[in-house]
PDB file of all heavy atoms in Angstrom:
ATOM      1  N   THR A 131      17.522  -7.737  17.949  1.00  0.00           N
ATOM      2  CA  THR A 131      16.828  -9.079  18.027  1.00  0.00           C
ATOM      3  C   THR A 131      15.817  -9.217  16.959  1.00  0.00           C
ATOM      4  O   THR A 131      15.566 -10.337  16.561  1.00  0.00           O
ATOM      5  CB  THR A 131      16.219  -9.254  19.374  1.00  0.00           C
ATOM      6  OG1 THR A 131      15.335  -8.192  19.695  1.00  0.00           O
ATOM      7  CG2 THR A 131      17.264  -9.341  20.491  1.00  0.00           C
ATOM      8  N   LEU A 132      15.161  -8.146  16.491  1.00  0.00           N
ATOM      9  CA  LEU A 132      14.184  -8.161  15.467  1.00  0.00           C
ATOM     10  C   LEU A 132      14.761  -8.765  14.157  1.00  0.00           C
ATOM     11  O   LEU A 132      13.982  -9.303  13.275  1.00  0.00           O
ATOM     12  CB  LEU A 132      13.530  -6.858  15.201  1.00  0.00           C
ATOM     13  CG  LEU A 132      12.575  -6.388  16.390  1.00  0.00           C
ATOM     14  CD1 LEU A 132      12.027  -4.971  15.981  1.00  0.00           C
ATOM     15  CD2 LEU A 132      11.423  -7.351  16.627  1.00  0.00           C
ATOM     16  N   LYS A 133      16.026  -8.603  13.934  1.00  0.00           N
ATOM     17  CA  LYS A 133      16.672  -9.060  12.680  1.00  0.00           C
ATOM     18  C   LYS A 133      16.592 -10.643  12.684  1.00  0.00           C
ATOM     19  O   LYS A 133      16.628 -11.211  11.569  1.00  0.00           O
ATOM     20  CB  LYS A 133      18.119  -8.628  12.646  1.00  0.00           C
ATOM     21  CG  LYS A 133      18.262  -7.086  12.532  1.00  0.00           C
ATOM     22  CD  LYS A 133      19.793  -6.754  12.465  1.00  0.00           C
ATOM     23  CE  LYS A 133      19.897  -5.184  12.384  1.00  0.00           C
ATOM     24  NZ  LYS A 133      21.306  -4.825  12.366  1.00  0.00           N
ATOM     25  N   SER A 134      16.348 -11.247  13.750  1.00  0.00           N
ATOM     26  CA  SER A 134      16.313 -12.711  13.781  1.00  0.00           C
ATOM     27  C   SER A 134      15.041 -13.198  13.193  1.00  0.00           C
ATOM     28  O   SER A 134      15.003 -14.446  12.846  1.00  0.00           O
ATOM     29  CB  SER A 134      16.342 -13.222  15.283  1.00  0.00           C
ATOM     30  OG  SER A 134      17.523 -12.783  15.911  1.00  0.00           O
ATOM     31  N   ILE A 135      14.065 -12.313  12.910  1.00  0.00           N
ATOM     32  CA  ILE A 135      12.794 -12.770  12.269  1.00  0.00           C
ATOM     33  C   ILE A 135      13.137 -13.347  10.847  1.00  0.00           C
ATOM     34  O   ILE A 135      12.369 -14.304  10.398  1.00  0.00           O
ATOM     35  CB  ILE A 135      11.797 -11.531  12.224  1.00  0.00           C
ATOM     36  CG1 ILE A 135      11.402 -11.235  13.583  1.00  0.00           C
ATOM     37  CG2 ILE A 135      10.656 -11.885  11.242  1.00  0.00           C
ATOM     38  CD1 ILE A 135      10.342 -10.090  13.629  1.00  0.00           C
ATOM     39  N   LYS A 136      14.173 -12.826  10.259  1.00  0.00           N
ATOM     40  CA  LYS A 136      14.482 -13.264   8.862  1.00  0.00           C
ATOM     41  C   LYS A 136      14.854 -14.761   8.984  1.00  0.00           C
ATOM     42  O   LYS A 136      14.614 -15.452   7.859  1.00  0.00           O
ATOM     43  CB  LYS A 136      15.644 -12.452   8.400  1.00  0.00           C
ATOM     44  CG  LYS A 136      15.376 -10.942   8.269  1.00  0.00           C
ATOM     45  CD  LYS A 136      16.633 -10.254   7.690  1.00  0.00           C
ATOM     46  CE  LYS A 136      16.414  -8.779   7.563  1.00  0.00           C
ATOM     47  NZ  LYS A 136      17.596  -8.059   7.111  1.00  0.00           N
ATOM     48  N   GLN A 137      15.328 -15.219  10.067  1.00  0.00           N
ATOM     49  CA  GLN A 137      15.719 -16.618  10.164  1.00  0.00           C
ATOM     50  C   GLN A 137      14.515 -17.597  10.315  1.00  0.00           C
ATOM     51  O   GLN A 137      14.598 -18.750  10.069  1.00  0.00           O
ATOM     52  CB  GLN A 137      16.696 -16.872  11.302  1.00  0.00           C
ATOM     53  CG  GLN A 137      17.988 -16.046  11.284  1.00  0.00           C
ATOM     54  CD  GLN A 137      18.835 -16.349  12.452  1.00  0.00           C
ATOM     55  OE1 GLN A 137      18.970 -17.420  12.903  1.00  0.00           O
ATOM     56  NE2 GLN A 137      19.421 -15.256  13.052  1.00  0.00           N
ATOM     57  N   PHE A 138      13.456 -16.999  10.717  1.00  0.00           N
ATOM     58  CA  PHE A 138      12.181 -17.787  10.977  1.00  0.00           C
ATOM     59  C   PHE A 138      11.071 -17.427  10.097  1.00  0.00           C
ATOM     60  O   PHE A 138       9.951 -17.157  10.491  1.00  0.00           O
ATOM     61  CB  PHE A 138      11.795 -17.604  12.510  1.00  0.00           C
ATOM     62  CG  PHE A 138      12.901 -17.770  13.453  1.00  0.00           C
ATOM     63  CD1 PHE A 138      13.142 -16.780  14.407  1.00  0.00           C
ATOM     64  CD2 PHE A 138      13.745 -18.906  13.444  1.00  0.00           C
ATOM     65  CE1 PHE A 138      14.149 -16.907  15.363  1.00  0.00           C
ATOM     66  CE2 PHE A 138      14.723 -19.025  14.389  1.00  0.00           C
ATOM     67  CZ  PHE A 138      14.942 -18.028  15.318  1.00  0.00           C
ATOM     68  N   LYS A 139      11.351 -17.467   8.823  1.00  0.00           N
ATOM     69  CA  LYS A 139      10.345 -17.015   7.780  1.00  0.00           C
ATOM     70  C   LYS A 139       9.101 -17.819   7.928  1.00  0.00           C
ATOM     71  O   LYS A 139       7.930 -17.372   7.606  1.00  0.00           O
ATOM     72  CB  LYS A 139      10.916 -17.112   6.380  1.00  0.00           C
ATOM     73  CG  LYS A 139      12.034 -16.100   6.128  1.00  0.00           C
ATOM     74  CD  LYS A 139      12.477 -16.207   4.703  1.00  0.00           C
ATOM     75  CE  LYS A 139      13.591 -15.120   4.477  1.00  0.00           C
ATOM     76  NZ  LYS A 139      14.143 -15.207   3.090  1.00  0.00           N
ATOM     77  N   GLU A 140       9.200 -19.034   8.303  1.00  0.00           N
ATOM     78  CA  GLU A 140       8.015 -20.014   8.356  1.00  0.00           C
ATOM     79  C   GLU A 140       7.073 -19.574   9.532  1.00  0.00           C
ATOM     80  O   GLU A 140       5.936 -19.993   9.620  1.00  0.00           O
ATOM     81  CB  GLU A 140       8.454 -21.448   8.523  1.00  0.00           C
ATOM     82  CG  GLU A 140       9.110 -21.804   9.912  1.00  0.00           C
ATOM     83  CD  GLU A 140      10.492 -21.411  10.073  1.00  0.00           C
ATOM     84  OE1 GLU A 140      11.066 -20.797   9.112  1.00  0.00           O
ATOM     85  OE2 GLU A 140      11.149 -21.848  10.990  1.00  0.00           O
ATOM     86  N   LEU A 141       7.561 -18.700  10.397  1.00  0.00           N
ATOM     87  CA  LEU A 141       6.785 -18.250  11.540  1.00  0.00           C
ATOM     88  C   LEU A 141       6.293 -16.830  11.421  1.00  0.00           C
ATOM     89  O   LEU A 141       5.763 -16.250  12.348  1.00  0.00           O
ATOM     90  CB  LEU A 141       7.570 -18.433  12.797  1.00  0.00           C
ATOM     91  CG  LEU A 141       7.992 -19.749  13.287  1.00  0.00           C
ATOM     92  CD1 LEU A 141       8.780 -19.792  14.614  1.00  0.00           C
ATOM     93  CD2 LEU A 141       6.866 -20.798  13.378  1.00  0.00           C
ATOM     94  N   THR A 142       6.415 -16.338  10.207  1.00  0.00           N
ATOM     95  CA  THR A 142       6.034 -14.909   9.953  1.00  0.00           C
ATOM     96  C   THR A 142       4.609 -14.623  10.358  1.00  0.00           C
ATOM     97  O   THR A 142       4.331 -13.574  11.036  1.00  0.00           O
ATOM     98  CB  THR A 142       6.229 -14.574   8.498  1.00  0.00           C
ATOM     99  OG1 THR A 142       7.636 -14.670   8.153  1.00  0.00           O
ATOM    100  CG2 THR A 142       5.874 -13.082   8.279  1.00  0.00           C
ATOM    101  N   VAL A 143       3.716 -15.511  10.009  1.00  0.00           N
ATOM    102  CA  VAL A 143       2.282 -15.340  10.316  1.00  0.00           C
ATOM    103  C   VAL A 143       2.108 -15.323  11.804  1.00  0.00           C
ATOM    104  O   VAL A 143       1.301 -14.487  12.343  1.00  0.00           O
ATOM    105  CB  VAL A 143       1.429 -16.424   9.706  1.00  0.00           C
ATOM    106  CG1 VAL A 143      -0.039 -16.313  10.197  1.00  0.00           C
ATOM    107  CG2 VAL A 143       1.501 -16.292   8.152  1.00  0.00           C
ATOM    108  N   LEU A 144       2.741 -16.258  12.558  1.00  0.00           N
ATOM    109  CA  LEU A 144       2.593 -16.322  13.946  1.00  0.00           C
ATOM    110  C   LEU A 144       3.244 -15.107  14.717  1.00  0.00           C
ATOM    111  O   LEU A 144       2.662 -14.563  15.671  1.00  0.00           O
ATOM    112  CB  LEU A 144       3.287 -17.613  14.524  1.00  0.00           C
ATOM    113  CG  LEU A 144       2.608 -18.900  14.136  1.00  0.00           C
ATOM    114  CD1 LEU A 144       3.314 -20.085  14.768  1.00  0.00           C
ATOM    115  CD2 LEU A 144       1.118 -18.892  14.429  1.00  0.00           C
ATOM    116  N   PHE A 145       4.316 -14.592  14.199  1.00  0.00           N
ATOM    117  CA  PHE A 145       4.906 -13.335  14.757  1.00  0.00           C
ATOM    118  C   PHE A 145       3.954 -12.178  14.512  1.00  0.00           C
ATOM    119  O   PHE A 145       3.707 -11.332  15.426  1.00  0.00           O
ATOM    120  CB  PHE A 145       6.210 -13.011  14.014  1.00  0.00           C
ATOM    121  CG  PHE A 145       7.350 -13.923  14.529  1.00  0.00           C
ATOM    122  CD1 PHE A 145       8.273 -14.316  13.582  1.00  0.00           C
ATOM    123  CD2 PHE A 145       7.477 -14.298  15.832  1.00  0.00           C
ATOM    124  CE1 PHE A 145       9.407 -15.081  14.103  1.00  0.00           C
ATOM    125  CE2 PHE A 145       8.512 -15.029  16.302  1.00  0.00           C
ATOM    126  CZ  PHE A 145       9.477 -15.478  15.355  1.00  0.00           C
ATOM    127  N   PHE A 146       3.232 -12.116  13.408  1.00  0.00           N
ATOM    128  CA  PHE A 146       2.251 -11.108  13.147  1.00  0.00           C
ATOM    129  C   PHE A 146       1.066 -11.174  14.106  1.00  0.00           C
ATOM    130  O   PHE A 146       0.526 -10.203  14.607  1.00  0.00           O
ATOM    131  CB  PHE A 146       1.695 -11.058  11.675  1.00  0.00           C
ATOM    132  CG  PHE A 146       0.879  -9.957  11.341  1.00  0.00           C
ATOM    133  CD1 PHE A 146       1.249  -8.632  11.386  1.00  0.00           C
ATOM    134  CD2 PHE A 146      -0.432 -10.218  10.852  1.00  0.00           C
ATOM    135  CE1 PHE A 146       0.430  -7.608  11.041  1.00  0.00           C
ATOM    136  CE2 PHE A 146      -1.313  -9.210  10.581  1.00  0.00           C
ATOM    137  CZ  PHE A 146      -0.907  -7.892  10.682  1.00  0.00           C
ATOM    138  N   VAL A 147       0.641 -12.392  14.269  1.00  0.00           N
ATOM    139  CA  VAL A 147      -0.440 -12.659  15.251  1.00  0.00           C
ATOM    140  C   VAL A 147      -0.096 -12.238  16.634  1.00  0.00           C
ATOM    141  O   VAL A 147      -0.838 -11.595  17.365  1.00  0.00           O
ATOM    142  CB  VAL A 147      -0.858 -14.192  15.308  1.00  0.00           C
ATOM    143  CG1 VAL A 147      -1.798 -14.495  16.438  1.00  0.00           C
ATOM    144  CG2 VAL A 147      -1.520 -14.572  13.961  1.00  0.00           C
ATOM    145  N   PHE A 148       1.189 -12.549  17.006  1.00  0.00           N
ATOM    146  CA  PHE A 148       1.654 -12.151  18.319  1.00  0.00           C
ATOM    147  C   PHE A 148       1.637 -10.583  18.487  1.00  0.00           C
ATOM    148  O   PHE A 148       1.258 -10.026  19.495  1.00  0.00           O
ATOM    149  CB  PHE A 148       3.078 -12.633  18.636  1.00  0.00           C
ATOM    150  CG  PHE A 148       3.713 -12.201  19.871  1.00  0.00           C
ATOM    151  CD1 PHE A 148       3.492 -12.989  21.103  1.00  0.00           C
ATOM    152  CD2 PHE A 148       4.474 -11.080  20.053  1.00  0.00           C
ATOM    153  CE1 PHE A 148       3.992 -12.611  22.280  1.00  0.00           C
ATOM    154  CE2 PHE A 148       5.028 -10.673  21.218  1.00  0.00           C
ATOM    155  CZ  PHE A 148       4.796 -11.439  22.360  1.00  0.00           C
ATOM    156  N   PHE A 149       2.057  -9.964  17.388  1.00  0.00           N
ATOM    157  CA  PHE A 149       2.008  -8.453  17.331  1.00  0.00           C
ATOM    158  C   PHE A 149       0.632  -7.926  17.562  1.00  0.00           C
ATOM    159  O   PHE A 149       0.459  -7.000  18.305  1.00  0.00           O
ATOM    160  CB  PHE A 149       2.662  -8.012  16.047  1.00  0.00           C
ATOM    161  CG  PHE A 149       2.740  -6.526  15.938  1.00  0.00           C
ATOM    162  CD1 PHE A 149       3.841  -5.790  16.462  1.00  0.00           C
ATOM    163  CD2 PHE A 149       1.779  -5.802  15.300  1.00  0.00           C
ATOM    164  CE1 PHE A 149       3.900  -4.482  16.399  1.00  0.00           C
ATOM    165  CE2 PHE A 149       1.805  -4.358  15.145  1.00  0.00           C
ATOM    166  CZ  PHE A 149       2.928  -3.682  15.749  1.00  0.00           C
ATOM    167  N   LEU A 150      -0.375  -8.515  16.791  1.00  0.00           N
ATOM    168  CA  LEU A 150      -1.688  -8.095  16.984  1.00  0.00           C
ATOM    169  C   LEU A 150      -2.243  -8.337  18.418  1.00  0.00           C
ATOM    170  O   LEU A 150      -2.933  -7.406  18.959  1.00  0.00           O
ATOM    171  CB  LEU A 150      -2.614  -8.896  15.925  1.00  0.00           C
ATOM    172  CG  LEU A 150      -2.394  -8.506  14.514  1.00  0.00           C
ATOM    173  CD1 LEU A 150      -3.284  -9.404  13.673  1.00  0.00           C
ATOM    174  CD2 LEU A 150      -2.541  -7.041  14.156  1.00  0.00           C
ATOM    175  N   LEU A 151      -2.044  -9.504  18.910  1.00  0.00           N
ATOM    176  CA  LEU A 151      -2.541  -9.909  20.219  1.00  0.00           C
ATOM    177  C   LEU A 151      -1.904  -8.962  21.309  1.00  0.00           C
ATOM    178  O   LEU A 151      -2.644  -8.531  22.184  1.00  0.00           O
ATOM    179  CB  LEU A 151      -2.319 -11.298  20.566  1.00  0.00           C
ATOM    180  CG  LEU A 151      -3.113 -12.284  19.728  1.00  0.00           C
ATOM    181  CD1 LEU A 151      -2.723 -13.758  20.058  1.00  0.00           C
ATOM    182  CD2 LEU A 151      -4.657 -12.138  19.851  1.00  0.00           C
ATOM    183  N   SER A 152      -0.643  -8.731  21.115  1.00  0.00           N
ATOM    184  CA  SER A 152       0.081  -7.874  22.206  1.00  0.00           C
ATOM    185  C   SER A 152      -0.418  -6.529  22.047  1.00  0.00           C
ATOM    186  O   SER A 152      -0.585  -5.810  23.128  1.00  0.00           O
ATOM    187  CB  SER A 152       1.606  -7.953  21.925  1.00  0.00           C
ATOM    188  OG  SER A 152       2.271  -7.204  22.957  1.00  0.00           O
ATOM    189  N   THR A 153      -0.702  -5.975  20.947  1.00  0.00           N
ATOM    190  CA  THR A 153      -1.234  -4.560  20.737  1.00  0.00           C
ATOM    191  C   THR A 153      -2.642  -4.497  21.354  1.00  0.00           C
ATOM    192  O   THR A 153      -2.928  -3.576  22.101  1.00  0.00           O
ATOM    193  CB  THR A 153      -1.361  -4.198  19.281  1.00  0.00           C
ATOM    194  OG1 THR A 153      -0.021  -4.234  18.695  1.00  0.00           O
ATOM    195  CG2 THR A 153      -1.983  -2.805  19.064  1.00  0.00           C
ATOM    196  N   ALA A 154      -3.420  -5.537  21.119  1.00  0.00           N
ATOM    197  CA  ALA A 154      -4.829  -5.506  21.682  1.00  0.00           C
ATOM    198  C   ALA A 154      -4.836  -5.613  23.221  1.00  0.00           C
ATOM    199  O   ALA A 154      -5.699  -4.977  23.740  1.00  0.00           O
ATOM    200  CB  ALA A 154      -5.519  -6.793  21.169  1.00  0.00           C
ATOM    201  N   SER A 155      -3.833  -6.203  23.772  1.00  0.00           N
ATOM    202  CA  SER A 155      -3.802  -6.314  25.245  1.00  0.00           C
ATOM    203  C   SER A 155      -3.652  -4.896  25.938  1.00  0.00           C
ATOM    204  O   SER A 155      -3.896  -4.748  27.157  1.00  0.00           O
ATOM    205  CB  SER A 155      -2.626  -7.169  25.687  1.00  0.00           C
ATOM    206  OG  SER A 155      -1.391  -6.622  25.477  1.00  0.00           O
ATOM    207  N   HIS A 156      -3.154  -3.859  25.179  1.00  0.00           N
ATOM    208  CA  HIS A 156      -2.979  -2.620  25.856  1.00  0.00           C
ATOM    209  C   HIS A 156      -4.127  -1.714  25.910  1.00  0.00           C
ATOM    210  O   HIS A 156      -4.013  -0.641  26.492  1.00  0.00           O
ATOM    211  CB  HIS A 156      -1.829  -1.844  25.036  1.00  0.00           C
ATOM    212  CG  HIS A 156      -0.433  -2.438  25.105  1.00  0.00           C
ATOM    213  ND1 HIS A 156       0.254  -2.622  26.279  1.00  0.00           N
ATOM    214  CD2 HIS A 156       0.230  -3.054  24.219  1.00  0.00           C
ATOM    215  CE1 HIS A 156       1.420  -3.173  26.018  1.00  0.00           C
ATOM    216  NE2 HIS A 156       1.466  -3.457  24.786  1.00  0.00           N
ATOM    217  N   SER A 157      -5.282  -2.188  25.310  1.00  0.00           N
ATOM    218  CA  SER A 157      -6.491  -1.312  25.347  1.00  0.00           C
ATOM    219  C   SER A 157      -6.947  -1.250  26.819  1.00  0.00           C
ATOM    220  O   SER A 157      -7.488  -0.115  27.144  1.00  0.00           O
ATOM    221  CB  SER A 157      -7.504  -1.994  24.538  1.00  0.00           C
ATOM    222  OG  SER A 157      -7.972  -3.253  25.046  1.00  0.00           O
ATOM    223  N   MET A 158      -6.795  -2.273  27.599  1.00  0.00           N
ATOM    224  CA  MET A 158      -7.368  -2.213  28.955  1.00  0.00           C
ATOM    225  C   MET A 158      -6.560  -1.257  29.804  1.00  0.00           C
ATOM    226  O   MET A 158      -7.153  -0.340  30.433  1.00  0.00           O
ATOM    227  CB  MET A 158      -7.247  -3.672  29.511  1.00  0.00           C
ATOM    228  CG  MET A 158      -7.881  -3.768  30.899  1.00  0.00           C
ATOM    229  SD  MET A 158      -9.656  -3.595  30.798  1.00  0.00           S
ATOM    230  CE  MET A 158     -10.182  -4.780  29.641  1.00  0.00           C
ATOM    231  N   GLU A 159      -5.235  -1.357  29.834  1.00  0.00           N
ATOM    232  CA  GLU A 159      -4.439  -0.498  30.704  1.00  0.00           C
ATOM    233  C   GLU A 159      -4.500   0.935  30.238  1.00  0.00           C
ATOM    234  O   GLU A 159      -4.322   1.880  31.077  1.00  0.00           O
ATOM    235  CB  GLU A 159      -3.019  -0.992  30.753  1.00  0.00           C
ATOM    236  CG  GLU A 159      -2.266  -0.845  29.339  1.00  0.00           C
ATOM    237  CD  GLU A 159      -0.890  -1.552  29.366  1.00  0.00           C
ATOM    238  OE1 GLU A 159      -0.873  -2.747  29.576  1.00  0.00           O
ATOM    239  OE2 GLU A 159       0.110  -0.874  29.083  1.00  0.00           O
ATOM    240  N   SER A 160      -4.674   1.130  28.992  1.00  0.00           N
ATOM    241  CA  SER A 160      -4.606   2.509  28.405  1.00  0.00           C
ATOM    242  C   SER A 160      -5.877   3.337  28.689  1.00  0.00           C
ATOM    243  O   SER A 160      -5.848   4.578  28.892  1.00  0.00           O
ATOM    244  CB  SER A 160      -4.450   2.458  26.930  1.00  0.00           C
ATOM    245  OG  SER A 160      -3.246   1.733  26.540  1.00  0.00           O
ATOM    246  N   THR A 161      -6.987   2.688  28.642  1.00  0.00           N
ATOM    247  CA  THR A 161      -8.225   3.454  28.683  1.00  0.00           C
ATOM    248  C   THR A 161      -9.214   3.068  29.844  1.00  0.00           C
ATOM    249  O   THR A 161     -10.347   3.696  29.957  1.00  0.00           O
ATOM    250  CB  THR A 161      -9.017   3.250  27.344  1.00  0.00           C
ATOM    251  OG1 THR A 161      -9.445   1.874  27.149  1.00  0.00           O
ATOM    252  CG2 THR A 161      -8.226   3.702  26.201  1.00  0.00           C
ATOM    253  N   TRP A 162      -8.968   2.035  30.572  1.00  0.00           N
ATOM    254  CA  TRP A 162      -9.902   1.562  31.626  1.00  0.00           C
ATOM    255  C   TRP A 162     -10.249   2.720  32.554  1.00  0.00           C
ATOM    256  O   TRP A 162     -11.420   2.962  32.846  1.00  0.00           O
ATOM    257  CB  TRP A 162      -9.349   0.395  32.397  1.00  0.00           C
ATOM    258  CG  TRP A 162     -10.195  -0.041  33.560  1.00  0.00           C
ATOM    259  CD1 TRP A 162     -10.085   0.261  34.876  1.00  0.00           C
ATOM    260  CD2 TRP A 162     -11.390  -0.955  33.466  1.00  0.00           C
ATOM    261  NE1 TRP A 162     -11.105  -0.287  35.636  1.00  0.00           N
ATOM    262  CE2 TRP A 162     -11.847  -1.060  34.787  1.00  0.00           C
ATOM    263  CE3 TRP A 162     -11.922  -1.559  32.413  1.00  0.00           C
ATOM    264  CZ2 TRP A 162     -12.940  -1.850  35.059  1.00  0.00           C
ATOM    265  CZ3 TRP A 162     -13.060  -2.425  32.701  1.00  0.00           C
ATOM    266  CH2 TRP A 162     -13.505  -2.543  34.013  1.00  0.00           C
ATOM    267  N   SER A 163      -9.355   3.422  33.052  1.00  0.00           N
ATOM    268  CA  SER A 163      -9.606   4.522  34.053  1.00  0.00           C
ATOM    269  C   SER A 163     -10.461   5.609  33.420  1.00  0.00           C
ATOM    270  O   SER A 163     -11.466   6.041  33.905  1.00  0.00           O
ATOM    271  CB  SER A 163      -8.290   5.092  34.637  1.00  0.00           C
ATOM    272  OG  SER A 163      -7.512   4.144  35.288  1.00  0.00           O
ATOM    273  N   PHE A 164     -10.027   5.990  32.213  1.00  0.00           N
ATOM    274  CA  PHE A 164     -10.833   7.086  31.533  1.00  0.00           C
ATOM    275  C   PHE A 164     -12.216   6.549  31.117  1.00  0.00           C
ATOM    276  O   PHE A 164     -13.146   7.289  31.265  1.00  0.00           O
ATOM    277  CB  PHE A 164      -9.994   7.431  30.234  1.00  0.00           C
ATOM    278  CG  PHE A 164      -8.738   8.031  30.476  1.00  0.00           C
ATOM    279  CD1 PHE A 164      -7.539   7.285  30.294  1.00  0.00           C
ATOM    280  CD2 PHE A 164      -8.569   9.331  30.781  1.00  0.00           C
ATOM    281  CE1 PHE A 164      -6.284   7.851  30.500  1.00  0.00           C
ATOM    282  CE2 PHE A 164      -7.304   9.927  31.058  1.00  0.00           C
ATOM    283  CZ  PHE A 164      -6.175   9.202  30.894  1.00  0.00           C
ATOM    284  N   PHE A 165     -12.262   5.356  30.637  1.00  0.00           N
ATOM    285  CA  PHE A 165     -13.664   4.719  30.265  1.00  0.00           C
ATOM    286  C   PHE A 165     -14.585   4.742  31.424  1.00  0.00           C
ATOM    287  O   PHE A 165     -15.780   5.143  31.280  1.00  0.00           O
ATOM    288  CB  PHE A 165     -13.377   3.406  29.628  1.00  0.00           C
ATOM    289  CG  PHE A 165     -14.682   2.653  29.340  1.00  0.00           C
ATOM    290  CD1 PHE A 165     -15.502   3.023  28.288  1.00  0.00           C
ATOM    291  CD2 PHE A 165     -15.017   1.577  30.134  1.00  0.00           C
ATOM    292  CE1 PHE A 165     -16.657   2.300  28.043  1.00  0.00           C
ATOM    293  CE2 PHE A 165     -16.182   0.812  29.923  1.00  0.00           C
ATOM    294  CZ  PHE A 165     -16.991   1.283  28.863  1.00  0.00           C
ATOM    295  N   THR A 166     -14.165   4.152  32.485  1.00  0.00           N
ATOM    296  CA  THR A 166     -15.070   3.973  33.630  1.00  0.00           C
ATOM    297  C   THR A 166     -15.465   5.295  34.307  1.00  0.00           C
ATOM    298  O   THR A 166     -16.560   5.417  34.751  1.00  0.00           O
ATOM    299  CB  THR A 166     -14.503   2.951  34.708  1.00  0.00           C
ATOM    300  OG1 THR A 166     -13.134   3.455  35.027  1.00  0.00           O
ATOM    301  CG2 THR A 166     -14.369   1.589  34.215  1.00  0.00           C
TER     302      THR A 166
END
């Protein structure tokens, strides 16, 4: 399905933003228990 990105070149920036935001969302589940 990632090959479909080539068809939506005008959305490349938004896909990259989605990637960054989705990555950021994992900080909570990954470290909350250890951190507290």
Side-chain angles (χ1 to χ4, degrees):
T131 53
L132 288 178
K133 295 179 181 179
S134 301
I135 291 179
K136 297 178 182 178
Q137 302 179 40
F138 311 128
K139 292 182 179 179
E140 69 279 8
L141 299 182
T142 301
V143 173
L144 294 184
F145 284 141
F146 184 60
V147 168
F148 178 86
F149 182 84
L150 293 179
L151 292 176
S152 185
T153 301
S155 69
H156 293 297
S157 64
M158 189 64 60
E159 67 190 57
S160 304
T161 62
W162 176 263
S163 299
F164 297 101
F165 171 73
T166 52

